[in-house]
Amino acid sequence: MKNMSKIAAAALPLIFAGSAAFSQSLDDAKKAIDAEQYQKAKSMLKNLTVTQADKDENYFYLGWVYILQDYADSAKNAFTQGIAKNSKSAINYAGLGAVARLDKNSAAVTSNFNQAITLAGKDSKPYTYIGKAYLLEPADSKAAIDVLSKGKAVNPRDPELLVTLGEANRLAIKSSDALANYNEALAIDPKMTSAIVAKGILWKFANNFEKSEEEFKAALAVNPNYGPAYRAWAETDLRWAFNDPKMASAKIKEGTEKYKQYLSLTDRSIESRIQYADFLLLAGDFKTLQTEVTELSKVAGTNLKVHRYLAYSAVENKDYATALPAMTKFLAEAGEKRIIPRDYIYLGRAQIGTGADTAGINSLKKAITLDTTQVDLYKDIAGALYSSKNYIEAGDAYSDYITKSKKVTLNDYLAMGRSYYFGYQGQLFSTETPKPTPDDALLTKADSAFSYIQQKASAPIATVALYQARVNEYKEKDRNNIEGYARPFYEQYIQLTTAKQPVAEADKKGLAEAYAYLGTIYEFKEKDDAKAAENYGKAREYDPTNKTALRYFQKKGGSGK
């Protein structure tokens, strides 16, 4: 018995040592999650679900890593296993609510979160993770603040909850409250790097970039290997670049280097590299983005987001042949809940870029249907319609763009006017049977667009004057009883074009057209043969192939010299 007591006594330290090792391992996994070393954390947690299979918390944190990595199905499976181990696991019900929120299942969100709170008792962790779930995209900061405030009442000294509440207040544009929450957390744990970084992010959104940098440096002084500080610093550099054009090039370059430091401190997992891709997308570095996601797309089973980004970057790089299959794959496999209007924008542009204009136009129209703020897409639609010679529809699309967009320029009015002009011309010279009746309203719309440009431009524009002349020439219904509607516009075009000598080669056909029209005025309206010959002569001088001038001189039976 004495020996047995000694053996038992000797075994006690080993038992407690094993318990401490487990506790430390779970703590290490949580630290890895905080450091955004997700592969490392996932490996630890998978091991813990085997070696400590009865601990429901292990399954929760594994599921939460899956949430962060955008694998909702795997997360749901982990949370369900956690509840199977402990039917009263409040935190795993919080996890199931997070999955339901990603799946847009509002009934399941409510029931799971309610169950989590019912079972939580004095444990503030379920409140913290319900709050984090509400901050997943699309964030509901109000709901997060409500539940986190209740959690704070349960335990006012939970620093993780306080930082999460700060994040919710920041998103709700309650900056003072957010700063107070972060400082409360730091009063409890002065070395809480996530709280220090959160303060830096708060200053970033206040555009106080120098103050942001101070906080990131402070976080790195506590832990030089804290990767999220470098990531937040990189994202701050990017915002700095967008807000200060003079600093843009330097800050984008600096931000990219900071992000590379972040990657070096994570496990360079697929998910970390996808976060880098997120950064490159925001930075508008589509060349580097395409290179990065092309490599990622070769990894079996990689996140579908990679194919989305491959499509986006390839479109921006005008590599439409690469973009179209990438976007098609993403849309086919992502599921309706993951598809956003922007996906249809890039699908449409890829389709148009590969010559599938009709399909592309339909995709862009779908994007507008899903997000009515995307009014600038009417310009893309108009451009595609114009390229495919659907001029009247193009004019209508330009009209929609001009009416709804805040980025309209005089060039857009020119494009609209040209579209309606060519639409009328197409009707006039149509070979269809039955032949359509030309719609004079198209001329009116074109004329209105051109007139608007001349009124708003700082000086009259020669090209616009030429189109005004052409529109008004089509208003002449009887060439034997010509009224001369186009005359002042052709004369203005001549004056504007010949003001600079020598005349540009590109303007010579237009000048020939203008002089030939004036020739017809003198020939048929004013009956002044000398003036007619003079103007027809100038037309022939600028364009020896001008048919109107050639007709006149052939009719005269000579060269006209």
Side-chain angles (χ1 to χ4, degrees):
M1 291 291 293
K2 183 183 288 187
N3 288 341
M4 289 295 292
S5 297
K6 288 182 178 179
I7 292 170
L12 283 172
L14 296 176
I15 293 169
F16 285 114
S19 177
F22 159 66
S23 177
Q24 183 61 44
S25 295
L26 179 57
D27 188 54
D28 283 346
K30 290 161 73 173
K31 287 179 180 178
I33 294 172
D34 180 53
E36 299 178 9
Q37 297 171 338
Y38 298 131
Q39 287 300 104
K40 179 180 178 181
K42 192 159 58 176
S43 177
M44 290 179 179
L45 291 162
K46 284 182 177 179
N47 182 59
L48 287 170
T49 60
V50 173
T51 60
Q52 298 287 337
D54 60 331
K55 303 292 184 181
D56 59 292
E57 213 177 4
N58 295 333
Y59 296 93
F60 168 75
Y61 283 104
L62 178 59
W64 194 254
V65 172
Y66 282 127
I67 287 279
L68 295 173
Q69 292 183 319
D70 200 21
Y71 296 116
D73 289 343
S74 297
K76 185 176 183 178
N77 183 55
F79 298 139
T80 302
Q81 288 184 66
I83 291 169
K85 299 299 179 181
N86 177 6
S87 62
K88 295 183 178 181
S89 179
I91 201 164
N92 277 293
Y93 277 108
L96 286 179
V99 172
R101 191 162 186 274
L102 293 176
D103 288 341
K104 299 178 182 178
N105 185 341
S106 57
V109 170
T110 301
S111 64
N112 282 297
F113 284 167
N114 285 346
Q115 182 72 347
I117 290 171
T118 299
L119 295 170
K122 296 297 183 181
D123 183 3
S124 57
K125 279 289 178 280
Y127 291 92
T128 299
Y129 281 89
I130 293 172
K132 287 178 183 285
Y134 277 124
L135 295 179
L136 297 170
E137 290 295 336
D140 184 344
S141 58
K142 183 180 183 301
I145 291 169
D146 288 345
V147 74
L148 291 164
S149 297
K150 292 175 183 175
K152 186 180 179 184
V154 169
N155 180 8
R157 294 188 59 79
D158 180 342
E160 186 180 11
L161 183 145
L162 291 168
V163 170
T164 308
L165 179 56
E167 174 69 0
N169 276 313
R170 180 183 68 76
L171 290 174
I173 321 297
K174 297 180 178 180
S175 300
S176 296
D177 290 343
L179 184 59
N181 296 142
Y182 299 144
N183 286 333
E184 285 180 273
L186 287 167
I188 298 165
D189 182 358
K191 293 186 176 183
M192 189 177 184
T193 46
S194 61
I196 302 171
V197 170
K199 287 175 68 177
I201 294 170
L202 184 65
W203 289 118
K204 174 186 80 170
F205 285 107
N207 292 337
N208 190 337
F209 304 117
E210 292 86 355
K211 189 69 173 175
S212 288
E213 289 190 340
E214 287 178 19
E215 298 292 354
F216 300 140
K217 289 176 182 176
L220 291 168
V222 173
N223 181 359
N225 296 319
Y226 190 62
Y230 285 106
R231 178 181 56 75
W233 198 342
E235 290 164 356
T236 298
D237 282 332
L238 188 59
R239 185 178 174 92
W240 196 339
F242 290 155
N243 279 269
D244 187 351
K246 292 179 182 178
M247 300 289 286
S249 179
K251 286 299 172 183
I252 288 176
K253 182 178 180 181
E254 184 181 306
T256 302
E257 291 305 311
K258 290 284 190 302
Y259 216 102
K260 288 177 180 177
Q261 285 179 278
Y262 162 72
L263 285 176
S264 73
L265 292 169
T266 67
D267 39 29
R268 289 196 65 85
S269 64
I270 297 298
E271 288 72 28
S272 296
R273 292 176 67 188
I274 288 172
Q275 281 189 306
Y276 179 46
D278 292 337
F279 175 82
L280 293 171
L281 180 67
L282 287 172
D285 187 351
F286 294 106
K287 184 176 180 180
T288 306
L289 177 60
Q290 186 170 353
T291 300
E292 181 71 17
V293 293
T294 296
E295 289 302 312
L296 286 170
S297 69
K298 297 173 184 176
V299 179
T302 190
N303 193 309
L304 270 175
K305 186 191 284 188
V306 166
H307 299 284
R308 169 189 273 164
Y309 284 1
L310 179 56
Y312 286 11
S313 57
V315 166
E316 295 292 345
N317 294 325
K318 301 190 186 310
D319 182 4
Y320 302 113
T322 296
L324 187 55
M327 197 73 252
T328 301
K329 177 180 176 64
F330 176 82
L331 292 171
E333 298 180 21
E336 186 177 346
K337 292 176 182 176
R338 291 185 65 183
I339 296 170
I340 58 176
R342 194 178 188 185
D343 297 329
Y344 286 106
I345 294 173
Y346 278 96
L347 173 65
R349 288 173 176 166
Q351 289 167 326
I352 291 168
T354 53
D357 287 2
T358 300
I361 289 166
N362 288 336
S363 294
L364 295 178
K365 286 181 177 178
K366 184 164 186 176
I368 296 172
T369 300
L370 294 172
D371 181 359
T372 55
T373 67
Q374 295 288 347
V375 293
D376 291 344
L377 292 179
Y378 284 113
K379 187 170 183 176
D380 295 69
I381 292 169
L385 288 166
Y386 188 92
S387 296
S388 59
K389 299 184 178 181
N390 292 307
Y391 295 120
I392 298 173
E393 291 179 58
D396 291 341
Y398 278 120
S399 179
D400 284 333
Y401 174 72
I402 288 168
T403 302
K404 298 173 182 179
S405 178
K406 296 180 180 179
K407 301 178 183 178
V408 179
T409 68
L410 292 180
N411 280 333
D412 299 317
Y413 280 91
L414 178 61
M416 179 174 69
R418 282 162 49 94
S419 298
Y420 285 132
Y421 167 76
F422 287 123
Y424 179 87
Q425 191 179 67
Q427 292 178 342
L428 186 65
F429 297 109
S430 175
T431 57
E432 293 179 9
T433 303
K435 184 175 180 177
T437 302
D439 184 0
D440 289 345
L442 298 174
L443 289 181
T444 301
K445 291 177 181 180
D447 199 18
S448 177
F450 298 138
S451 297
Y452 180 87
I453 296 170
Q454 297 293 54
Q455 290 167 20
K456 297 296 182 181
S458 57
I461 301 169
T463 299
V464 178
L466 181 60
Y467 275 106
Q468 286 180 292
R470 290 168 175 171
V471 166
N472 280 277
E473 188 173 1
Y474 277 139
K475 293 178 181 178
E476 303 279 5
K477 301 302 182 184
D478 183 359
R479 295 190 69 82
N480 293 316
N481 190 24
I482 194 166
E483 295 290 342
Y485 299 136
R487 181 173 185 169
F489 302 106
Y490 274 127
E491 288 177 337
Q492 184 183 41
Y493 175 75
I494 291 169
Q495 184 270 321
L496 293 169
T497 306
T498 58
K500 292 183 180 180
Q501 293 291 333
V503 171
E505 193 66 33
D507 293 328
K508 289 184 176 179
K509 282 190 176 294
L511 281 169
E513 176 187 330
Y515 280 116
Y517 176 82
L518 294 178
T520 63
I521 291 293
Y522 287 113
E523 181 182 5
F524 295 106
K525 181 177 176 60
E526 299 191 3
K527 312 296 183 183
D528 186 336
D529 199 51
K531 283 285 188 180
E534 178 187 343
N535 281 279
Y536 283 133
K538 288 181 179 179
R540 187 173 61 178
E541 178 184 335
Y542 283 113
D543 180 11
T545 66
N546 184 276
K547 292 180 180 180
T548 306
L550 289 175
R551 174 203 55 80
Y552 174 80
F553 290 116
Q554 287 169 358
K555 185 174 67 174
K556 289 294 183 182
S559 65
K561 293 182 179 178

